[in-house]
Amino acid sequence: MATTVEFMADAFKQSGTPFIAGHPGGETVELMDAARQRDMRYILMKQETAGAILAATWGEITGSPGVCTSTRGPGATNMVNGIAYAWLDRAPLIALTDQYPAATLESGQRQVINHRAVYDPITKWSTTLQAKSAQQQIRRALRISTAPAPGPVQIDLPSTETTAEAREMKNAPDLRQETLHLVPDAGSLAPALNMIKAAKRPILLVGLGVLWDRASDDLVSFAETLGAPVLTTSKCKGVIPEDHPLRAGCIIGGLIERDLVNQADLIITVGLDSVELQPKAWPYSTPLLSLANTPTTDALVPATMEVIGEIGGLLTGLSGGLGGQGEWGERAAATFRSSVTDALNVSTKGLSPHRAMEIARATLPRDTIATCDAGQSRLLVVQKWQSYGPREFLTSNGLGTMGYAIPGALAARLAHPKRPVIAFAGDGGFLMAVADIQTSVKEKLPIIVMVFDDREIALIRVKQELKQIPRFGVELGGLDWVKLAEGFGADGAVAETEAQLSGALSAAVKSGNTTVIAVRIDGSCYVDQFNALREL
């Protein structure tokens, strides 16, 4: 009979996750050894938040829950931000935390923290592993973490339970449950079809549910049937290829997109999760049809009608009841794309951040996967970088945490070992995750990191300027980027011109080494760009 850690390692590997990431504690070592014996990797991250973000991003890309670990007490509390990422960015994750046995937990003081109380607000389920019920607990954790909306599960591992025998379940269900999705017929969809057929200018607002149901192809077919322009949330860049004529751009909650949406006579949201939107009142009075795989209970997006079901099946069923609905979509999408480009193309004296993004997209291969940190540069990356497939652009939107780009890029490299991966980060966000450049080198997970070196925490400086507050407490700079990269065993470069940037990116792709490229940019355009794209 297997021990608890042996069963856990088998279960994680069979579920499609052949590694564990994080920073171990004393009670983790038996699980690490069980993983080693099964040819699984243990990816040692330099701090627990990065381990959780890497594992959660793997879960997003593959659909198999990532697994991360921490020691008890300080390790568990340091992992909170990574778990919050999985919670608000809807990523399947199993977080394992070392814990004292029950008697010590009830009587001791040192490093004693009630992990489950800490994690309860930001997890779908929290539990303490018991050998007698471990098989059922792990199966439940796998199901809960991946069920829409996906999210994190946290499990305390008491030292008394890790090597105890895991009692076998009678008639145990398969770890991977087969699910049959039904396609509704046109009759059951008649009310929704009538709304769509009455519209002359429908628009699609697309969110995470399309990715949970792997329904990108169905979405594109549906958009083409309608002839409708498509706006996606930032995490959904690529669900419609961004060189498709119906792709308009990204939803950012700004004034610029309202001009487009207000032209529509029907808004169709497809898998839209309100966590992806700016926390503002819904600005539209247009009739709204919601297609969702989970009921919307927050009442933030006021749907006239909501249709619940597997997204691919809903789109297929609706498409079967429609003919060509109109041709306004391509024209409207093109006009919107031009307006965004015009708003961003603010003149600067030095190398502009928007021009740097154009060079990156023109230089790197089409199949490059991009990750993006939070901060002022994110606004530009989301608009200027183009992705051509689902989950080829990865960012933190629901939580909006800095320090995402590097661990997110390592997850992308694990999932796609033969494709180029670039992490876009501001200098502030980069410094929050800089230690895992060493992880990238040591684990042979080469990535390109393009740092916007504007020598400040730019988004806060922009807000200071908008509020007429003097610049204070936001200055960075003074880094030797090449020496920093080389200290971790990576390549380093500094680019101050377009030619230098193009050359550095080309060299990084060819070298196959982890490369840090600091792009010295002129951030004087930020305020004008922020004003143009975002509601003040």
Side-chain angles (χ1 to χ4, degrees), residues 46 430 434-439 441-442 480-493 514 516:
K46 303 309 171 286
F430 171 83
V434 63
D436 282 303
I437 295 296
Q438 194 268 351
T439 305
V441 173
K442 179 179 178 295
D480 188 324
W481 294 100
V482 174
K483 288 183 179 178
L484 184 151
E486 291 176 346
F488 287 117
D491 296 336
T514 292
V516 177

PDB file of all heavy atoms in Angstrom, residues 46 430 434-439 441-442 480-493 514 516:
ATOM      1  N   LYS A  46      13.087  30.824  -5.606  1.00  0.00           N
ATOM      2  CA  LYS A  46      13.818  31.576  -4.597  1.00  0.00           C
ATOM      3  C   LYS A  46      12.912  32.190  -3.537  1.00  0.00           C
ATOM      4  O   LYS A  46      13.381  32.668  -2.508  1.00  0.00           O
ATOM      5  CB  LYS A  46      14.668  32.658  -5.279  1.00  0.00           C
ATOM      6  CG  LYS A  46      15.629  32.070  -6.320  1.00  0.00           C
ATOM      7  CD  LYS A  46      16.447  30.927  -5.739  1.00  0.00           C
ATOM      8  CE  LYS A  46      17.258  30.179  -6.777  1.00  0.00           C
ATOM      9  NZ  LYS A  46      16.478  29.308  -7.639  1.00  0.00           N
ATOM     10  N   PHE A 430      10.472  43.744 -12.316  1.00  0.00           N
ATOM     11  CA  PHE A 430      11.608  42.854 -12.532  1.00  0.00           C
ATOM     12  C   PHE A 430      12.370  42.621 -11.242  1.00  0.00           C
ATOM     13  O   PHE A 430      12.723  41.480 -10.898  1.00  0.00           O
ATOM     14  CB  PHE A 430      12.534  43.457 -13.592  1.00  0.00           C
ATOM     15  CG  PHE A 430      13.845  42.738 -13.735  1.00  0.00           C
ATOM     16  CD1 PHE A 430      13.948  41.603 -14.515  1.00  0.00           C
ATOM     17  CD2 PHE A 430      14.985  43.209 -13.095  1.00  0.00           C
ATOM     18  CE1 PHE A 430      15.164  40.935 -14.649  1.00  0.00           C
ATOM     19  CE2 PHE A 430      16.205  42.553 -13.223  1.00  0.00           C
ATOM     20  CZ  PHE A 430      16.288  41.417 -14.002  1.00  0.00           C
ATOM     21  N   VAL A 434      13.712  39.115  -9.463  1.00  0.00           N
ATOM     22  CA  VAL A 434      15.015  38.979 -10.112  1.00  0.00           C
ATOM     23  C   VAL A 434      15.734  37.690  -9.710  1.00  0.00           C
ATOM     24  O   VAL A 434      16.475  37.098 -10.520  1.00  0.00           O
ATOM     25  CB  VAL A 434      15.897  40.204  -9.804  1.00  0.00           C
ATOM     26  CG1 VAL A 434      16.197  40.308  -8.321  1.00  0.00           C
ATOM     27  CG2 VAL A 434      17.178  40.174 -10.621  1.00  0.00           C
ATOM     28  N   ALA A 435      15.514  37.199  -8.488  1.00  0.00           N
ATOM     29  CA  ALA A 435      16.265  36.021  -8.033  1.00  0.00           C
ATOM     30  C   ALA A 435      15.982  34.798  -8.887  1.00  0.00           C
ATOM     31  O   ALA A 435      16.835  33.907  -9.007  1.00  0.00           O
ATOM     32  CB  ALA A 435      15.938  35.732  -6.569  1.00  0.00           C
ATOM     33  N   ASP A 436      14.805  34.742  -9.504  1.00  0.00           N
ATOM     34  CA  ASP A 436      14.491  33.546 -10.288  1.00  0.00           C
ATOM     35  C   ASP A 436      15.030  33.599 -11.709  1.00  0.00           C
ATOM     36  O   ASP A 436      14.771  32.683 -12.500  1.00  0.00           O
ATOM     37  CB  ASP A 436      12.986  33.273 -10.252  1.00  0.00           C
ATOM     38  CG  ASP A 436      12.597  32.624  -8.927  1.00  0.00           C
ATOM     39  OD1 ASP A 436      13.177  31.562  -8.618  1.00  0.00           O
ATOM     40  OD2 ASP A 436      11.775  33.187  -8.192  1.00  0.00           O
ATOM     41  N   ILE A 437      15.829  34.614 -12.032  1.00  0.00           N
ATOM     42  CA  ILE A 437      16.706  34.509 -13.208  1.00  0.00           C
ATOM     43  C   ILE A 437      17.678  33.347 -12.986  1.00  0.00           C
ATOM     44  O   ILE A 437      17.985  32.578 -13.898  1.00  0.00           O
ATOM     45  CB  ILE A 437      17.471  35.832 -13.437  1.00  0.00           C
ATOM     46  CG1 ILE A 437      16.498  36.953 -13.796  1.00  0.00           C
ATOM     47  CG2 ILE A 437      18.515  35.667 -14.537  1.00  0.00           C
ATOM     48  CD1 ILE A 437      15.758  36.765 -15.089  1.00  0.00           C
ATOM     49  N   GLN A 438      18.144  33.199 -11.742  1.00  0.00           N
ATOM     50  CA  GLN A 438      19.023  32.075 -11.429  1.00  0.00           C
ATOM     51  C   GLN A 438      18.296  30.748 -11.616  1.00  0.00           C
ATOM     52  O   GLN A 438      18.871  29.775 -12.100  1.00  0.00           O
ATOM     53  CB  GLN A 438      19.544  32.213  -9.992  1.00  0.00           C
ATOM     54  CG  GLN A 438      20.724  31.302  -9.667  1.00  0.00           C
ATOM     55  CD  GLN A 438      20.303  29.954  -9.084  1.00  0.00           C
ATOM     56  OE1 GLN A 438      19.136  29.730  -8.758  1.00  0.00           O
ATOM     57  NE2 GLN A 438      21.264  29.043  -8.959  1.00  0.00           N
ATOM     58  N   THR A 439      17.011  30.699 -11.252  1.00  0.00           N
ATOM     59  CA  THR A 439      16.229  29.475 -11.457  1.00  0.00           C
ATOM     60  C   THR A 439      16.151  29.143 -12.939  1.00  0.00           C
ATOM     61  O   THR A 439      16.286  27.981 -13.350  1.00  0.00           O
ATOM     62  CB  THR A 439      14.806  29.650 -10.895  1.00  0.00           C
ATOM     63  OG1 THR A 439      14.889  30.052  -9.529  1.00  0.00           O
ATOM     64  CG2 THR A 439      14.009  28.362 -11.012  1.00  0.00           C
ATOM     65  N   VAL A 441      18.263  29.834 -15.278  1.00  0.00           N
ATOM     66  CA  VAL A 441      19.555  29.309 -15.747  1.00  0.00           C
ATOM     67  C   VAL A 441      19.790  27.902 -15.211  1.00  0.00           C
ATOM     68  O   VAL A 441      20.129  26.976 -15.963  1.00  0.00           O
ATOM     69  CB  VAL A 441      20.694  30.259 -15.327  1.00  0.00           C
ATOM     70  CG1 VAL A 441      22.055  29.649 -15.664  1.00  0.00           C
ATOM     71  CG2 VAL A 441      20.530  31.619 -16.002  1.00  0.00           C
ATOM     72  N   LYS A 442      19.592  27.727 -13.906  1.00  0.00           N
ATOM     73  CA  LYS A 442      19.896  26.443 -13.270  1.00  0.00           C
ATOM     74  C   LYS A 442      18.999  25.333 -13.806  1.00  0.00           C
ATOM     75  O   LYS A 442      19.457  24.203 -14.027  1.00  0.00           O
ATOM     76  CB  LYS A 442      19.724  26.566 -11.762  1.00  0.00           C
ATOM     77  CG  LYS A 442      19.992  25.271 -11.000  1.00  0.00           C
ATOM     78  CD  LYS A 442      19.835  25.478  -9.493  1.00  0.00           C
ATOM     79  CE  LYS A 442      20.061  24.173  -8.744  1.00  0.00           C
ATOM     80  NZ  LYS A 442      19.022  23.159  -9.070  1.00  0.00           N
ATOM     81  N   ASP A 480      23.581  48.230 -13.060  1.00  0.00           N
ATOM     82  CA  ASP A 480      24.396  47.719 -14.155  1.00  0.00           C
ATOM     83  C   ASP A 480      23.736  46.432 -14.631  1.00  0.00           C
ATOM     84  O   ASP A 480      23.944  45.352 -14.077  1.00  0.00           O
ATOM     85  CB  ASP A 480      25.831  47.456 -13.683  1.00  0.00           C
ATOM     86  CG  ASP A 480      26.770  47.101 -14.833  1.00  0.00           C
ATOM     87  OD1 ASP A 480      26.313  46.415 -15.781  1.00  0.00           O
ATOM     88  OD2 ASP A 480      27.948  47.490 -14.780  1.00  0.00           O
ATOM     89  N   TRP A 481      22.922  46.548 -15.658  1.00  0.00           N
ATOM     90  CA  TRP A 481      22.073  45.436 -16.084  1.00  0.00           C
ATOM     91  C   TRP A 481      22.882  44.251 -16.597  1.00  0.00           C
ATOM     92  O   TRP A 481      22.521  43.089 -16.356  1.00  0.00           O
ATOM     93  CB  TRP A 481      21.102  45.908 -17.162  1.00  0.00           C
ATOM     94  CG  TRP A 481      20.110  46.903 -16.677  1.00  0.00           C
ATOM     95  CD1 TRP A 481      20.147  48.260 -16.833  1.00  0.00           C
ATOM     96  CD2 TRP A 481      18.928  46.621 -15.924  1.00  0.00           C
ATOM     97  NE1 TRP A 481      19.064  48.850 -16.230  1.00  0.00           N
ATOM     98  CE2 TRP A 481      18.290  47.862 -15.663  1.00  0.00           C
ATOM     99  CE3 TRP A 481      18.336  45.466 -15.444  1.00  0.00           C
ATOM    100  CZ2 TRP A 481      17.105  47.967 -14.960  1.00  0.00           C
ATOM    101  CZ3 TRP A 481      17.153  45.560 -14.733  1.00  0.00           C
ATOM    102  CH2 TRP A 481      16.548  46.799 -14.491  1.00  0.00           C
ATOM    103  N   VAL A 482      23.958  44.524 -17.289  1.00  0.00           N
ATOM    104  CA  VAL A 482      24.762  43.439 -17.848  1.00  0.00           C
ATOM    105  C   VAL A 482      25.419  42.628 -16.733  1.00  0.00           C
ATOM    106  O   VAL A 482      25.377  41.383 -16.723  1.00  0.00           O
ATOM    107  CB  VAL A 482      25.807  43.993 -18.831  1.00  0.00           C
ATOM    108  CG1 VAL A 482      26.742  42.873 -19.304  1.00  0.00           C
ATOM    109  CG2 VAL A 482      25.122  44.649 -20.028  1.00  0.00           C
ATOM    110  N   LYS A 483      26.025  43.322 -15.762  1.00  0.00           N
ATOM    111  CA  LYS A 483      26.652  42.609 -14.653  1.00  0.00           C
ATOM    112  C   LYS A 483      25.622  41.853 -13.830  1.00  0.00           C
ATOM    113  O   LYS A 483      25.887  40.741 -13.349  1.00  0.00           O
ATOM    114  CB  LYS A 483      27.427  43.593 -13.777  1.00  0.00           C
ATOM    115  CG  LYS A 483      28.709  44.110 -14.421  1.00  0.00           C
ATOM    116  CD  LYS A 483      29.459  45.023 -13.459  1.00  0.00           C
ATOM    117  CE  LYS A 483      30.760  45.517 -14.093  1.00  0.00           C
ATOM    118  NZ  LYS A 483      31.483  46.453 -13.178  1.00  0.00           N
ATOM    119  N   LEU A 484      24.448  42.450 -13.643  1.00  0.00           N
ATOM    120  CA  LEU A 484      23.395  41.775 -12.887  1.00  0.00           C
ATOM    121  C   LEU A 484      23.034  40.453 -13.556  1.00  0.00           C
ATOM    122  O   LEU A 484      22.972  39.407 -12.906  1.00  0.00           O
ATOM    123  CB  LEU A 484      22.171  42.683 -12.769  1.00  0.00           C
ATOM    124  CG  LEU A 484      20.996  42.188 -11.936  1.00  0.00           C
ATOM    125  CD1 LEU A 484      20.240  43.361 -11.326  1.00  0.00           C
ATOM    126  CD2 LEU A 484      20.023  41.350 -12.760  1.00  0.00           C
ATOM    127  N   ALA A 485      22.803  40.482 -14.866  1.00  0.00           N
ATOM    128  CA  ALA A 485      22.436  39.265 -15.586  1.00  0.00           C
ATOM    129  C   ALA A 485      23.563  38.246 -15.537  1.00  0.00           C
ATOM    130  O   ALA A 485      23.334  37.054 -15.267  1.00  0.00           O
ATOM    131  CB  ALA A 485      22.101  39.608 -17.032  1.00  0.00           C
ATOM    132  N   GLU A 486      24.772  38.699 -15.779  1.00  0.00           N
ATOM    133  CA  GLU A 486      25.912  37.778 -15.796  1.00  0.00           C
ATOM    134  C   GLU A 486      26.160  37.163 -14.426  1.00  0.00           C
ATOM    135  O   GLU A 486      26.611  36.017 -14.319  1.00  0.00           O
ATOM    136  CB  GLU A 486      27.153  38.508 -16.300  1.00  0.00           C
ATOM    137  CG  GLU A 486      27.066  38.876 -17.784  1.00  0.00           C
ATOM    138  CD  GLU A 486      28.253  39.689 -18.263  1.00  0.00           C
ATOM    139  OE1 GLU A 486      29.021  40.198 -17.389  1.00  0.00           O
ATOM    140  OE2 GLU A 486      28.426  39.824 -19.490  1.00  0.00           O
ATOM    141  N   GLY A 487      25.817  37.891 -13.360  1.00  0.00           N
ATOM    142  CA  GLY A 487      25.966  37.352 -12.014  1.00  0.00           C
ATOM    143  C   GLY A 487      25.091  36.136 -11.775  1.00  0.00           C
ATOM    144  O   GLY A 487      25.430  35.279 -10.942  1.00  0.00           O
ATOM    145  N   PHE A 488      23.998  36.047 -12.489  1.00  0.00           N
ATOM    146  CA  PHE A 488      23.103  34.890 -12.391  1.00  0.00           C
ATOM    147  C   PHE A 488      23.408  33.818 -13.440  1.00  0.00           C
ATOM    148  O   PHE A 488      22.720  32.799 -13.508  1.00  0.00           O
ATOM    149  CB  PHE A 488      21.652  35.326 -12.551  1.00  0.00           C
ATOM    150  CG  PHE A 488      21.098  36.058 -11.370  1.00  0.00           C
ATOM    151  CD1 PHE A 488      20.692  37.379 -11.478  1.00  0.00           C
ATOM    152  CD2 PHE A 488      20.973  35.431 -10.141  1.00  0.00           C
ATOM    153  CE1 PHE A 488      20.163  38.056 -10.389  1.00  0.00           C
ATOM    154  CE2 PHE A 488      20.444  36.095  -9.043  1.00  0.00           C
ATOM    155  CZ  PHE A 488      20.039  37.417  -9.163  1.00  0.00           C
ATOM    156  N   GLY A 489      24.416  34.066 -14.271  1.00  0.00           N
ATOM    157  CA  GLY A 489      24.746  33.109 -15.323  1.00  0.00           C
ATOM    158  C   GLY A 489      23.977  33.329 -16.607  1.00  0.00           C
ATOM    159  O   GLY A 489      24.001  32.485 -17.511  1.00  0.00           O
ATOM    160  N   ALA A 490      23.276  34.465 -16.718  1.00  0.00           N
ATOM    161  CA  ALA A 490      22.503  34.792 -17.913  1.00  0.00           C
ATOM    162  C   ALA A 490      23.283  35.772 -18.784  1.00  0.00           C
ATOM    163  O   ALA A 490      24.309  36.310 -18.375  1.00  0.00           O
ATOM    164  CB  ALA A 490      21.149  35.384 -17.529  1.00  0.00           C
ATOM    165  N   ASP A 491      22.797  36.009 -19.987  1.00  0.00           N
ATOM    166  CA  ASP A 491      23.348  37.042 -20.845  1.00  0.00           C
ATOM    167  C   ASP A 491      22.653  38.364 -20.542  1.00  0.00           C
ATOM    168  O   ASP A 491      21.481  38.382 -20.136  1.00  0.00           O
ATOM    169  CB  ASP A 491      23.141  36.697 -22.321  1.00  0.00           C
ATOM    170  CG  ASP A 491      23.885  35.430 -22.736  1.00  0.00           C
ATOM    171  OD1 ASP A 491      24.886  35.088 -22.060  1.00  0.00           O
ATOM    172  OD2 ASP A 491      23.475  34.786 -23.716  1.00  0.00           O
ATOM    173  N   GLY A 492      23.345  39.457 -20.760  1.00  0.00           N
ATOM    174  CA  GLY A 492      22.759  40.766 -20.505  1.00  0.00           C
ATOM    175  C   GLY A 492      23.069  41.738 -21.628  1.00  0.00           C
ATOM    176  O   GLY A 492      24.097  41.624 -22.288  1.00  0.00           O
ATOM    177  N   ALA A 493      22.153  42.678 -21.862  1.00  0.00           N
ATOM    178  CA  ALA A 493      22.348  43.700 -22.887  1.00  0.00           C
ATOM    179  C   ALA A 493      21.562  44.935 -22.496  1.00  0.00           C
ATOM    180  O   ALA A 493      20.565  44.864 -21.776  1.00  0.00           O
ATOM    181  CB  ALA A 493      21.886  43.194 -24.257  1.00  0.00           C
ATOM    182  N   THR A 514      19.142  32.262 -21.345  1.00  0.00           N
ATOM    183  CA  THR A 514      18.365  33.300 -20.664  1.00  0.00           C
ATOM    184  C   THR A 514      19.063  34.633 -20.857  1.00  0.00           C
ATOM    185  O   THR A 514      20.276  34.752 -20.644  1.00  0.00           O
ATOM    186  CB  THR A 514      18.224  32.981 -19.172  1.00  0.00           C
ATOM    187  OG1 THR A 514      17.400  31.816 -19.031  1.00  0.00           O
ATOM    188  CG2 THR A 514      17.594  34.137 -18.410  1.00  0.00           C
ATOM    189  N   VAL A 516      18.699  38.969 -20.335  1.00  0.00           N
ATOM    190  CA  VAL A 516      18.043  40.160 -19.797  1.00  0.00           C
ATOM    191  C   VAL A 516      18.417  41.339 -20.683  1.00  0.00           C
ATOM    192  O   VAL A 516      19.598  41.653 -20.852  1.00  0.00           O
ATOM    193  CB  VAL A 516      18.468  40.432 -18.344  1.00  0.00           C
ATOM    194  CG1 VAL A 516      17.840  41.723 -17.827  1.00  0.00           C
ATOM    195  CG2 VAL A 516      18.094  39.257 -17.447  1.00  0.00           C
TER     196      VAL A 516
END
